[in-house]
Amino acid sequence: MRKHPLFQMAVIGVIAIAILIPVCLFVIPWYPTDASTQASNFHTLYDVLLIASIPIFVLVETVIGYSIWKFRMKPGEEDKDGPPIHGNTRLEVVWTTLPAILILGLCIYAYVVLR
């Protein structure tokens, strides 16, 4: 039984996230020795930014990899042009609004920690 490509992408993404977050948080020594009482706040801020960034990175890279594999040019199709695509307004609003909310939330959190 063959699995759907979106299911395969989701599985790859979840596995990559499950591996990368612990590696980035516990294996890589990001921080020097604490030199102030505020150092732990900065470490927490950095950890939050890593936890927010890794899933987005994995999602984007998985979609790019799938698109390169699925929509590659086949031999003999060098002179063909792809079909015209009409945009999806709801999708465009979502992929503009969600990152804006995420960035705003992370900026507010960073401002609070750094103040």
Side-chain angles (χ1 to χ4, degrees):
M1 175 196 256
R2 189 175 165 148
K3 299 286 183 191
H4 193 274
L6 291 177
F7 176 76
Q8 292 172 343
M9 280 188 348
V11 168
I12 290 169
V14 168
I15 291 170
I17 290 168
I19 292 170
L20 285 174
I21 287 179
V23 166
C24 287
L25 291 179
F26 304 115
V27 175
I28 299 173
W30 296 105
Y31 316 117
T33 306
D34 291 352
S36 70
T37 57
Q38 291 297 317
S40 65
N41 292 339
F42 293 124
H43 296 172
T44 303
L45 170 63
Y46 195 75
D47 290 343
V48 168
L49 293 175
L50 275 173
I51 291 169
S53 300
I54 289 172
I56 293 168
F57 172 77
V58 168
L59 172 71
V60 169
E61 293 302 315
T62 305
V63 170
I64 288 173
Y66 174 76
S67 297
I68 289 171
W69 171 75
K70 178 72 175 171
F71 303 111
R72 67 187 180 274
M73 185 180 301
K74 313 279 188 303
E77 295 180 346
E78 290 83 7
D79 295 332
K80 290 184 179 179
D81 194 14
I85 297 173
H86 175 67
N88 183 335
T89 306
R90 183 178 299 138
L91 178 63
E92 292 174 10
V93 168
V94 168
W95 81 38
T96 302
T97 305
L98 288 180
I101 292 169
L102 178 66
I103 289 172
L104 182 63
L106 291 173
C107 287
I108 290 170
Y109 177 64
Y111 177 78
V112 168
V113 168
L114 295 175
R115 288 294 290 169

